[in-house]
Amino acid sequence: MAALHPLIHVYRDAGQGHVFEYFDTLTEAEQRQLLLEASEIDLEELKVLSETLVLQKKALDTNSFEQLKPAPFESLPQKGGSAKLWALAREVGEDALKAGRVAAFTVAGGQGTRLGFDGPKGTFEVTAIKKKSLFQVFAEKIKAAAKDYGKVIHWFIMTSQQNDKQTISFFQEHDYFGLDFERVHFFKQGRMPAVNFEGKILLESKSSIALSPDGHGGSLRALERSGALNFMQKNGIDTLSYFQVDNPLVRCIDPVFIGWHLLRKSEMSSKMVPKAYAEEKVGHFCIQNDKLCVVEYSDLPMEFQKQRSEAGELKYIAGSIAIHILDREFIRKMAKADKGALAVLPFHRADKKITCLDCSGNIVTPTKPNGVKFELFVFDALPFAANPVVIETERSEDFSPVKNAEGLDSPKTCKEDQMRQAARWLKELGETLQVDSAGLPLVNIEISPLFGYDFFSFKKRWSKLKPKPSFSKDLYLT
Ligand code: UTP
């Protein structure tokens, strides 16, 4: 009888021997595949996660919120912030861009289950007239900003094992949307196994483990592991503009935000929007034990979310919209932190419906959650960052994600928000165009990021445009 592969012994010792239950029935190629996947898993880490997050699912300790305070933030100048400081921030940010210190950084490894779109989310079409994909919108914003600042802007895109090939092919098929392909860098995030409620690893088939992306927080270690940080260092890049793949409104390259980050010598900075209403499902910027953090809506008791100041404003008003600036060496520090060290991102538990083998070896698709996935969140790095700064932004200028197929944060709301933005910019420059009571123009309008990727750049190009177009029919500005 052939000796058992050493990894199988390790799995048996760890109480996860069932992963190899069908090993002898597999072809050689399947066996290799299973062993490869099994070698990806850190069983010690998994044991700790299962014990702490699955077997003794920690009940929420509301006492831990006793020390909680709302986080301070820099208000916009029109809301009482110092116009002088905001102007200074723009100058500092522009200088950093002109010096080539800034790169764009997109996390695009998610599964997009809520949208239900078959393909990498970045390939989803979002604009009103030209039906540009999310990736194209970002590529054009980056290209236009690079032209304005006279410096190359590298773009780092995190993919997952599931969507890496398709994402890269999409860029190739579209000639990188006019970007130099050597300046677009893809890197894959890590994976974590799903477990059942007893902490046992789930199998996707007899020859594969149910593995899924390790969350957007996995981007920090993936950047380090892929060599991207060393590349940045060699190329004089020390500042990363982080955004998520589902939000085409984001100012991917925002000199003011970059400037605030640099002025404050911050290691990780964030944008906030005032929450629209108490129950709004966003994370909250808070201070806990003197550290900045984001407390998720599902973790913050509703009585806190409803608290108001004497002036009647929500106390926990600062909503997180997942837009950050990160310092390169801070990412390295977080990525390299040893397990057990204090500066390590915690995993979160997510109960999910996971298609997997049942105990008789049949593949089942459950109708209710049957297991747990583990995910890292990028905002969990905030408490470890020196001098973190939070600045206010207008939601309508930075945030309209495509999360759901319908309703809130859907393709429809996102398209409308883009058109509202176009109408607002035109009106601000004195144009008269008809909009409905919600600010939506009566004709479709799309502004190519190559024409204007923020109000500032739009204003410059619009003022030079002669003759000005009419707004009597659909309008695409490029
Ligand atoms: P979401 O939290 O919206 O998750 O990701 P999702 O996987 O895209 O969508 P659902 O929840 O399945 O519907 C927010 C951002 O984080 C990225 C996503 O690509 C998106 O840009 N992300 C998420 C990753 O890059 N990796 C992950 O493991 C999870």
Side-chain angles (χ1 to χ4, degrees), residues 199-400:
K200 300 285 180 201
I201 294 173
L202 291 171
L203 288 176
E204 197 171 70
S205 71
K206 289 178 180 168
S207 60
S208 69
I209 295 170
L211 289 163
S212 54
D214 59 359
H216 43 67
S219 60
L220 305 186
R221 45 195 202 178
L223 271 173
E224 158 71 12
R225 207 174 37 228
S226 66
L229 296 180
N230 288 342
F231 175 91
M232 289 175 207
Q233 189 165 12
K234 272 198 207 112
N235 287 274
I237 299 163
D238 59 12
T239 304
L240 271 89
S241 177
Y242 168 102
F243 53 94
Q244 302 193 329
V245 76
D246 50 22
N247 177 22
L249 226 53
V250 65
R251 280 177 278 205
C252 329
I253 300 296
D254 181 352
V256 183
F257 187 28
I258 295 163
W260 272 114
H261 171 85
L262 296 172
L263 268 174
R264 287 288 166 81
K265 299 197 181 346
S266 162
E267 286 187 320
M268 181 169 176
S269 305
S270 313
K271 279 189 180 174
M272 65 71 86
V273 293
K275 275 181 75 173
Y277 47 94
E279 296 82 4
E280 191 183 7
K281 292 183 172 175
V282 289
H284 304 77
F285 286 107
C286 297
I287 300 287
Q288 194 167 21
N289 304 324
D290 296 326
K291 298 281 183 201
L292 179 70
C293 61
V294 169
V295 181
E296 285 198 278
Y297 65 86
S298 48
D299 288 342
L300 189 63
M302 192 44 80
E303 74 233 44
F304 281 69
Q305 299 194 40
K306 287 189 170 164
Q307 281 175 14
R308 291 189 179 266
S309 67
E310 276 177 16
E313 206 177 49
L314 287 175
K315 189 170 163 198
Y316 291 92
I317 194 157
S320 170
I321 50 173
I323 302 174
H324 303 281
I325 304 283
L326 289 131
D327 174 71
R328 184 195 68 223
E329 289 311 303
F330 172 65
I331 296 178
R332 205 192 298 275
K333 190 168 78 188
M334 290 306 300
K336 281 195 161 168
D338 283 336
K339 285 186 209 97
L342 287 177
V344 82
L345 294 187
F347 273 96
H348 293 253
R349 162 191 177 137
D351 292 13
K352 301 264 179 178
K353 293 179 229 163
I354 302 157
T355 299
C356 62
L357 287 194
D358 65 10
C359 48
S360 346
N362 299 315
I363 295 180
V364 286
T365 305
T367 50
K368 54 180 191 92
N370 60 328
V372 172
K373 288 186 178 179
F374 301 106
E375 284 195 327
L376 298 164
F377 296 158
V378 81
F379 56 71
D380 280 331
L382 282 169
F384 306 109
N387 313 317
V389 58
V390 181
I391 70 161
E392 183 177 12
T393 187
E394 299 278 7
R395 185 187 296 251
S396 55
E397 290 294 325
D398 253 321
F399 189 59
S400 184

Side-chain angles (χ1 to χ4, degrees), residues 107-115 121 158 189 213-216 244-246 375 403:
V107 285
Q111 295 175 300
T113 37
R114 283 170 287 172
L115 183 61
K121 214 185 206 180
M158 184 174 80
Q189 70 178 109
D214 59 359
H216 43 67
Q244 302 193 329
V245 76
D246 50 22
E375 284 195 327
K403 295 277 185 202

